[in-house]
Amino acid sequence: MEYFEICESNYVMFHQLANAYYREGEDEKTSQDEIDAFIRFLFNMAVRNEIKGCLVKDARGYLGFALWTIDREDFAFSEIPGCGTILEIGIAPSYRGSGLGQEFVSFIETWLRSRQIKQCYVSAYGPAQKFWEHCGYAENGQKANNGLPIMIKAIN
């Protein structure tokens, strides 16, 4: 398995993976233009290194993407400054349940630990909560700005 940092040259693949992920999670009222604009927004943040992002690939092709950062007060999605936050992990549908999501989480947590970050959090909606619990995250009783519960884990 190889991880590739998101860069200008892989926008098409990032868009393909992210579009499948967001299209699945959105209701049919969300226009493709809105989803495309959000994907471009996240991609640009990753390319400008405002957040970290990578794609994962193996012999079968590209399997998924992840976006994360170290939370800070001036960050648009800030909830707990100083903590790591996993913004998105999107796995191609045919590879879900293979352990790839857990590998991504481990990869990100290792990256955060290398920068002396002691905790990481996510804001997860219903179906994803079981995945995050399986990865060791637990609700902390707070809600994110988007109304979803915050799930946190000590990673030191």
Side-chain angles (χ1 to χ4, degrees), residues 67-134:
L67 301 167
W68 70 95
T69 193
I70 298 171
D71 201 352
R72 57 193 189 277
E73 288 185 28
D74 66 339
F75 182 58
F77 308 111
S78 181
E79 301 292 346
I80 309 173
C83 285
T85 179
I86 300 173
L87 302 167
E88 302 289 0
I89 293 181
I91 306 299
S94 57
Y95 300 107
R96 291 183 189 149
S98 68
L100 181 59
Q102 291 173 323
E103 286 184 44
F104 249 141
V105 171
S106 178
F107 175 82
I108 294 166
E109 289 173 351
T110 298
W111 186 92
L112 290 166
R113 275 193 299 278
S114 75
R115 282 139 182 95
Q116 288 68 54
I117 301 301
K118 308 265 187 245
Q119 292 185 311
C120 185
Y121 75 92
V122 298
S123 60
Y125 72 102
Q129 286 178 334
K130 291 220 183 290
F131 168 78
W132 290 108
E133 287 170 358
H134 187 74

Side-chain angles (χ1 to χ4, degrees), residues 6-8 10-26 30-48 50-53 55 65-67 77 87-88 90:
I6 290 174
C7 62
E8 277 297 333
N10 51 35
Y11 176 74
V12 171
M13 184 51 59
F14 176 77
H15 184 275
Q16 182 180 340
L17 291 164
N19 188 61
Y21 173 76
Y22 289 116
R23 192 37 72 202
E24 180 179 67
E26 298 292 330
T30 304
S31 74
Q32 187 63 49
D33 286 345
E34 289 175 281
I35 291 175
D36 289 343
F38 188 64
I39 291 169
R40 177 52 85 172
F41 168 74
L42 292 173
F43 180 81
N44 288 342
M45 288 181 73
V47 168
R48 291 189 308 259
E50 295 171 23
I51 61 175
K52 299 303 291 179
L55 302 173
F65 73 96
L67 301 167
F77 308 111
L87 302 167
E88 302 289 0

